[in-house]
Amino acid sequence: MSISALQKARYEYQPKVPSILTQDLETIAVEFGKNTESVADQADLKALFANTYGKPLLNFVKGKNADVKKQIKVGVILSGGQAPGGHNVIAGLYDGIKKGNKNSKLYGFLGGPSGLIDCQYKEITDDFMDAYRNTGGFDIIGSGRTKIETPEQYAASIATAKKLDLDAIVIIGGDDSNTNAALLAEEMIKAGCKTHVIGCPKTIDGDLKNEMIETSFGFDTACKTYSELIGNIERDANSAKKYWHFIKLMGRSASHIALECELQTQANICLISEEVEAKKMTLRQITDDICKVIAKRAETAGNFGVILIPEGLVEFIPEMKSLIAELNDKMAQKEAEFNALTDFASKKNWLKSNLSAAAFATFETLPEAIASQFLADRDPHGNVQVSRIDTEKLLALTVEKRLAEMKKEGTYKGKFSSYCHFFGYEGRCAFPSNFDADYCYSLGFTAFLLIASGVTGYLSSVRNLTAPAKDWVAGGVPLTMMMNMEQRHGTKKPVIKKALVELDGKPFKEYAKNRDKWAVETSFLFPGAIQYYGPSEVCDQTTKTLQLEKK
Ligand code: FBP
């Protein structure tokens, strides 16, 4: 197979790790902290996780671990959306396992959690692993979104664990996948199976974080990739001075990616879904605010600019949120009936008699192309797939319409022309930045140490991330500590709490402080491409979000 020059060079890259991970393994001991409580609903969670609830936090420190050289067998799963660095988590885990005992084995389950359920796996060997070090993507073993949640799926997973005589399974995933990891850890104990379960915090969305998990991996590289592209568009816009660029950014519900990209590029407008919800802003109000900036810039800077839009925005606009909630319910309740409808006109007719008058009125305001996207297939959790709704086009259309009205009113004298973009898949499989390469390798190696320490139901954690890597702190966080109970499909379920953008948090405040200036003046920043080689201040910078949060 031919490979690029960068790929060849990246194979040689040695990830930087916390100094404790460079010690002789037998001199790394586990230090337990205090027992923990879940973020909420303690009684319910204690009952559901009778064996794994409330375990203590732990760190790795200098000391002794006699068991670390034991021969073990471990399975690993990549779960959910791709995030740069996943291959390095596996590399760190693999190197830890082999350093412990060269006869230990690592099996990669193929295609996500379904690989565990169906016992589809591949043994990871030196040559195979080496072809994926420091590269992006999840193609080493593939990923998938199957959930392990039914009694049959638990039974099949336990059967695979027993068949392969696994000491542990490592699940690399986001909030839902790590909720699954916590449940699986508990089920393994209940079934008398020796297999322990450890999670690793993955998602470009950046919404799996809390006081013990500073960031999920992949967020850094994805944001830097999008910011490079946004910076390029800003330069183009500033050169031609004739287009307004509407850029939707991935991130599902949370606006962390949009906010980070805004801080990196200083685009004219960045919508933050969490603020839209807090202020109960309607689509009309959002449109008016954008139009005011466009009109102002038409008089001063010119007829151009850049607007960043978080992927999940529509779910936070009150009238759209109600519409989506009703659609999700009705489409699930009357699935067969709805699926039998083939064209848009008959679907619309069906909605007229099945939605409330208010929801149907909102539906009718949407252009047909966008309205059809609201009716597209739901994800495995029954939710609308926000990455498939062209919110950027919706806003470009509402803005164009409103500007035409303003022209008639005499409040806008510019010339409006727009371009729409969606940056999502472009960033999920980039070569991991040095930060993600280092962080992921450290997370994987730490996952091995957690296995060697005999714990289960823990998330691998590496903290103090704005310091040089040698000073990072490796440890583990009990998964139940991050959980609460939430309503899902009509029943209360245990879930890891999603972290949305906090409006009183430092990253948002930094944006809020500057946004009026960035809106009207042209204050663009051009971050350029991710650099892998060169001075540390160019190659090893963390995200602005992390820097501000740790200030
Ligand atoms: P995870 O939450 O699994 O990490 O996935 C994140 C994400 O990239 C979202 O930003 C996006 O909405 C979604 O995946 C897209 O899903 P798919 O890959 O199934 O199209």
Side-chain angles (χ1 to χ4, degrees), residues 80-81 145 202-205 250-252 311 387 425 428:
R145 291 199 182 277
K202 170 235 72 167
T203 178
I204 62 160
D205 298 352
M250 244 188 196
R252 212 186 283 272
E311 178 181 70
S387 60
Y425 299 96
R428 297 202 313 183

Side-chain angles (χ1 to χ4, degrees), residues 358-375:
F360 187 71
T362 306
F363 186 79
E364 277 204 304
T365 62
L366 298 170
E368 182 176 324
I370 298 199
S372 322
Q373 293 164 353
F374 276 69
L375 306 180

Side-chain angles (χ1 to χ4, degrees), residues 506-546:
K506 288 180 186 157
F508 179 77
K509 280 187 171 167
E510 178 67 15
Y511 167 55
K513 187 174 84 191
N514 290 295
R515 65 172 147 190
D516 291 344
K517 178 173 148 62
W518 295 350
V520 181
E521 291 174 18
T522 302
S523 317
F524 300 154
L525 275 184
F526 314 112
I530 295 176
Q531 302 296 308
Y532 299 92
Y533 301 98
S536 185
E537 66 272 21
V538 177
C539 299
D540 299 321
Q541 285 298 312
T542 58
T543 56
K544 299 214 183 253
T545 302
L546 198 52

